[in-house]
Amino acid sequence: MVGRVPAPLVFVVSASSQYLGAGLAVSLFALMPSTTVAWWRLVVGAAVLMALRCPWRRRWTRRTLAAAAAFGTATATMNVIFYAAISLLPLGTAVSLEFLGPVCVAAITGRGWRPRCAAVLALLGVVSISGLGVDLGQPGQRAGVLLALAAGVAWAVYILLGRRVAAAGVGIDSLAVGMVFGALVYAPFAAGTAGIALTSAGSAAMALGVGLLSTAVPYGLDQVVLKRLGADTFALLSSLMPATSMLVGVAVLRQLPGAWEVIGLVLVSAAVALASTDGRSPRPTRPSGR
């Protein structure tokens, strides 16, 4: 059913879920390191997806397991690095820098002038919405910039690998298995502080919310969209995420946008429209299921 929903609308829902989860994650930073918060996000997301999909019923080969492991590790790395970045930088700044990854995917994998022009418009729009405002004279902000750029590289890898597993028809099952691999890879980094999330019902509920809102829901929706779109178009539609955060701020927090934010929203809308009319995206297909 989700496969018949327009891709931009799916992205808006996904982005809204991501930002609600990010708000909970920032609250948890006061209790435990960002790496531990990211690990709990992986654990909860893996548990939910495994319970819903029961991927052990599927027949797996070494190749599909290896692809799932690589995809899950890339996803986990993206989450861990990005959470480290937003512990040092404002969220908008980190998003702007991280978005360089999808822009590079769109520019490299796209064919013709449309995806390249759309990539430039999307990047300018994201910068206008989020703003940079980085003081490289501060060691913490320098480290944050490097982490955000590294998260952008991981985001690019996530898009490319995610498109591959989605095209193979085992996207959400591979995501579930991959989340388990990712959680195991980063378990040693969270082992000493993971128990803090269980010290109170409130912190446990927030950790559960982060995993559901930031992993299970948006990454599951990503697999639906990746099955329908090319990697370049998916990368450009990712620019809807900061635009959605601005609209959520207006509707929920009554935070009225400034002139640059409005200009950024127009640029992102133009980029999405340009990418959506390139004539190369396949028709929506009905997702396979059991």
Side-chain angles (χ1 to χ4, degrees), residues 221-245:
L221 293 176
D222 281 357
Q223 283 300 306
V224 175
V225 179
L226 278 165
K227 191 173 181 179
R228 297 162 53 187
L229 303 177
D232 56 332
T233 306
F234 180 92
L236 289 171
L237 284 176
S238 298
S239 61
L240 285 170
M241 296 181 71
T244 301
S245 72

Side-chain angles (χ1 to χ4, degrees), residues 66-84:
F71 178 48
T73 302
T75 305
T77 301
M78 175 179 67
N79 293 336
V80 169
I81 297 176
F82 182 68
Y83 274 22

Side-chain angles (χ1 to χ4, degrees), residues 17-258:
S17 183
Q18 285 265 30
Y19 279 106
L20 288 172
L24 292 176
V26 171
S27 299
L28 285 173
F29 287 169
L31 300 176
M32 65 192 82
S34 61
T35 302
T36 306
V37 177
W39 183 77
W40 272 114
R41 170 181 173 176
L42 295 168
V43 169
V44 173
V48 171
L49 290 171
M50 290 290 284
L52 290 175
R53 295 297 300 180
C54 302
W56 54 85
R57 296 176 181 174
R58 181 182 293 276
R59 189 172 182 177
W60 294 87
T61 64
R62 289 184 180 180
R63 184 173 182 177
T64 54
L65 274 177
F71 178 48
T73 302
T75 305
T77 301
M78 175 179 67
N79 293 336
V80 169
I81 297 176
F82 182 68
Y83 274 22
I86 64 175
S87 69
L88 298 171
L89 294 175
L91 179 61
T93 301
V95 169
S96 295
L97 294 168
E98 187 193 28
F99 192 69
L100 290 173
V103 166
C104 290
V105 171
I108 293 172
T109 63
R111 291 175 293 179
W113 62 273
R114 286 181 183 271
R116 290 169 175 79
C117 289
V120 173
L121 288 174
L123 179 61
L124 292 175
V126 170
V127 172
S128 296
I129 290 171
S130 304
L132 289 178
V134 177
D135 182 5
L136 294 178
Q138 297 184 17
Q141 294 216 353
R142 285 201 302 271
V145 168
L146 292 177
L147 287 168
L149 292 175
V153 174
W155 194 358
V157 175
Y158 165 80
I159 292 172
L160 296 174
L161 291 178
R163 169 61 181 163
R164 180 175 298 180
V165 298
V170 293
I172 300 181
D173 287 348
S174 291
L175 176 62
V177 173
M179 287 290 97
V180 174
F181 275 100
L184 291 174
V185 168
Y186 284 97
F189 299 95
T193 52
I196 298 175
L198 304 177
T199 55
S200 70
S203 59
M206 285 194 290
L208 179 62
V210 169
L212 288 171
L213 294 172
S214 294
T215 299
V217 173
Y219 290 165
L221 293 176
D222 281 357
Q223 283 300 306
V224 175
V225 179
L226 278 165
K227 191 173 181 179
R228 297 162 53 187
L229 303 177
D232 56 332
T233 306
F234 180 92
L236 289 171
L237 284 176
S238 298
S239 61
L240 285 170
M241 296 181 71
T244 301
S245 72
M246 185 186 73
L247 295 177
V248 168
V250 173
V252 178
L253 303 176
R254 301 294 188 267
Q255 295 175 342
L256 296 179

